[in-house]
Amino acid sequence: MNLSGPSPRAAARRLVLTLLKPGLLKPGVLKSDLLKPGLLTLWLLTFGLLLAATPSWAEETLRFPGTASATQPLEQLTVHGALDIPQVRPLLEDFHRRFPFISLTYRNLTTLELNHRFLAAQTPSADVLISSAMPWQYRLANDGHAQPLTGARADAWPNWARWRHELFAVTFEPIVMVYRRELAERFGAPQSHAELLDLLEQHGEALRGRVVTYDPEKSGAGYSYAVEEARLSPRYWELVAALGATEAVLEETTGAMLQGLKEGKYWLGYNLLGSYAQNVVADDPALEMVIPKDYALVTQRLALIPKRARHPVTAQRFLDYLISEHGQRVIAERTALGAVHPSLKGPGTANALKARLGDALRPIRLSPALLATLDDLKRRALLARWQREFRRWQSAPEGAANKAAESGAPSYQSATAHEIHNDGTNAARSGAP
Amino acid sequence: MRRPASLYRRLLTWLLLPLLGLGALMLVQAYLDARHTADRAFDRLLEAATLAIADRVQWQDDQLWLDLPPAALEMLATDAEERVFYALYDGEGNFITGNARLPSDERPDQGHGNLQGSLQDTLQDTLQGSPQNGSRGDTLLYRDIEWHSLALRQGTRRSRLEDWSLQERFEIRVAHTREGREALTLSLLRGNLAYIGAMAALAIAALLLAIRSALAPLTRLRSAIRSRDPRTLAPLELPLPRELAELRETVNDLLARMRRVRANQERFIGDASHQLRTPLAGLSTRAELALRQDDPAAWRGALEAMRTTSASTARLAGQLLSLTRLDNPEATPDLAPLDLNALARRATRDAWASCHRDGIDLGVDADETPLMIDGVAWQLEEALTNLIDNARRYGAQRITVRVTDHPPTLAVEDDGPGIAKDQRLLVLRPFYRGRDGGEGSGLGLAIVDGIARGHKARLTLESKADDTGLRVAVHFTGDRA
């Protein structure tokens, strides 16, 4: 499948628009049409891997023409990133000020496009790839597509934020909840997952259709978070069931969720990317952002230099800048991305977050476990489980639910209840539609 | 100029070379051992990972289904952050899921391995890890592979579903890069290296000390010889190990022989001086007596007597000269073929006139046919003359020169008084006279002995067949006298 040209993107947009029509999102339709194995794979490839980090579809490019000096010849650098222009601009401007002889082209892509462009290109690709799709970036490095960055800074970079000198986590972005003031006034503001579960279970009726979260099926980010949360605690499935019971709306991007929250359509958003929510919440007095106190996932943008990079030396200069104290200070002070550098302590740094939240922060680890999230069978199993849990308490009038009730619903329920107390890994065995 | 070979260096070379070879072998062995140990340790990870994955393989939706446990992959990535690959294949070798299409391991299951297991298979098993049975009766295979230009260690587990009715076979392949193994190999090797290095240092130090102490007696011997008075021939007296004691005894033997030779020479010189002084003193006395007289007739008598004496003195000097020449071990005579019979006849003819004058019967017994030997004619004639002369002087009346064959022998027989058995060796010494009062110089037999030795012939002195007189014979045996 060629995803590098413009026409597949247009087609994808059309398909998304079609899918977003209300009727199509009903579970029954999803079940009958979209979950057929062959078709499902196609959907997954086309939409599922899109991450919320890129609310815009359009390819955006930022250019900083370089000026050669007597002592320094001109250097070229192309960066492909899944990182919005407003977030990345201060960083690139600072870099350009420090290295005016580098002609810098930044292209903002979706994580899927970024990954596919790299894999499809036979010729040398971009010089640096930055993406929040941690499993995909990890897989590229694992398969030997990245070249190592050496040097004192790379050596000093914290172990938990790099892999083999090939993969560097340069940001620190917690996953947050955002709620409207109306919610806090009526039911109190949830500060943790446990409080959120209580809130949903007690006021499910009042919150019907007012809660929004990621669709794990269509959003790679949502899927990643679901995998991580399911690993952290089996109680996650109770939360999914409670979300299902309140008929939570499923969105694909943080941007769409924030938009609905701003407009007052939703009162509570669960699992939003903190770095994007932060600025929106700061601008809108009706919104509040909460980093859950019991546990908060943290996602990180991973940067790597491809082996096929056209300008490896300049790429190393750029990545070295990204992990330098200067670059990280810009990230901390002028963006909402969160700096990782261990010597930075002020607001907007990992250290500050850690000091505030301590052990509750759960950065998604740079480990081969990320590869497991990309496993196709694993994905299908987890999504099937997710769907089942989501529809568990729905008083759905749809035919599927009625049918389930007629044909031995008690046994079905007991089976799932049993699984709740398991680690959840056997979910696929009995529950696949 | 090339330096002469040093015993020290030779010993050092021949002891160090095998030692270094041995050290190199130990290093190679240590590396292989370390690698093997590291592989065995890390293969356990492959085993555990495949087991963890195999536990999650199920039958679902009419196909093999895997709920991949992330921990299985995490255990493959150790501190060294290995790259990790996994794949699930069904019994027919179809790819089910995984992040890499890892190659299949073609080796058969253990238990039904081929019976004609060749040496190559055995070698391969040693290198790649032989098939093992896992805890569930699965087949486990390990090997090193090169995949997409990455050096990987692959573990393969062949298993089957344990369901009521289904016995579906499947294969789990996992692989990771070798960084962790190499790190462990290096650290194991480093430990061994220190050990081997210490051993080598000790061995070399011991070797140097041993060679030094073994060669110390040689130095003592050298300095003992160097510090000797060059004129002394006294034996070396110093304690030495057995091998060098032999050398010392050999040197001492040589010194003893040199002492005897010198004693002989000194006596010879003394005797010769004495022999020459007597006739010279006689000449001097005779001349003084003659000068006191005025009678020319007396002068003439004195001069004639002096002529006789000086002639015999000249003959003595000539004999001494030829004896010296014969005794010189470095002078090898130029041997030429000659007829022994002719030589005997010629010598007899020369001596016959004077013998006849004295009424002595001199005869020769030699064949007409030539008897050829290699020799020096004048020396043999001299020897024959000496023997005839000797026999005359000691009162023989009948002298026979006899030549016999097998071996060629030149013999002189006389009917004189003969020589007692215990005297027969002594008479060969210069200036030894068998009987006091004889007028010979005492050199005749010594000269014959010298000539015989120069011809590598054997000289024998014995009585005649009837136990009277003397028979002196020179046997040209060709070997050493």
Side-chain angles (χ1 to χ4, degrees), chain B residues 68-242:
Chain B
L68 180 70
L73 300 185
E74 285 190 10
M75 72 175 81
L76 289 178
T78 58
D79 295 344
E81 304 177 314
E82 282 93 345
R83 301 173 201 278
V84 170
F85 303 96
Y86 73 97
L88 171 67
Y89 284 81
D90 68 12
E92 281 78 50
N94 297 316
F95 179 78
I96 304 295
T97 187
N99 72 338
R101 290 173 188 264
L102 294 169
S104 72
D105 199 328
E106 298 298 345
R107 283 174 287 168
D109 293 357
Q110 199 186 36
H112 12 104
N114 56 356
L115 289 172
Q116 315 104 347
S118 63
L119 178 67
Q120 199 184 352
D121 287 343
T122 320
L123 198 67
Q124 208 169 18
D125 286 350
T126 319
L127 285 175
Q128 302 187 338
S130 54
Q132 296 174 21
N133 281 329
S135 50
R136 316 194 310 178
D138 301 348
T139 299
L140 283 169
L141 299 164
Y142 307 111
R143 60 171 183 170
D144 294 320
I145 60 167
E146 177 90 10
W147 187 79
H148 290 205
S149 69
L150 293 171
L152 302 179
R153 180 79 168 174
Q154 182 183 336
T156 303
R157 177 185 288 269
R158 293 194 190 122
S159 187
R160 56 176 69 230
L161 282 178
E162 300 292 339
D163 212 333
W164 287 356
S165 57
L166 271 163
Q167 297 265 299
E168 184 71 15
R169 298 177 62 80
F170 62 90
E171 190 170 306
I172 290 157
R173 301 174 193 164
V174 297
H176 63 176
T177 41
R178 302 192 54 98
E179 286 91 354
R181 293 161 191 267
E182 274 151 21
L184 181 57
T185 303
L186 268 186
S187 79
L188 288 174
L189 191 61
R190 216 172 290 132
N192 274 345
L193 225 54
Y195 175 69
I196 291 173
M199 293 269 291
L202 270 178
I204 289 173
L207 204 67
L208 291 177
L209 283 176
I211 295 177
R212 236 168 240 290
S213 83
L215 291 184
L218 212 58
T219 317
R220 272 193 289 137
L221 180 63
R222 188 183 58 206
S223 61
I225 292 176
R226 189 175 286 163
S227 62
R228 277 166 73 90
D229 179 353
R231 278 166 305 180
T232 182
L233 289 174
L236 286 166
E237 299 290 354
L238 76 163
L240 287 172
R242 185 156 46 83

Side-chain angles (χ1 to χ4, degrees), chain A residues 51-85:
Chain A
L51 286 192
T54 52
S56 163
W57 284 95
E59 176 183 312
E60 301 164 346
T61 305
L62 205 56
R63 286 182 207 279
F64 293 89
T67 44
S69 69
T71 52
Q72 190 65 55
L74 198 65
E75 289 181 24
Q76 298 289 334
L77 180 66
T78 309
V79 178
H80 284 186
L83 188 54
D84 278 0
I85 299 280

Side-chain angles (χ1 to χ4, degrees), chain A residues 141-142 164 166 365 375 425, chain B residues 67 81 83-84 86 97 179:
Chain A
N142 185 66
R164 278 180 83 107
E166 293 177 10
R365 286 199 302 130
D375 187 85
T425 45
Chain B
D67 183 19
E81 304 177 314
R83 301 173 201 278
V84 170
Y86 73 97
T97 187
E179 286 91 354

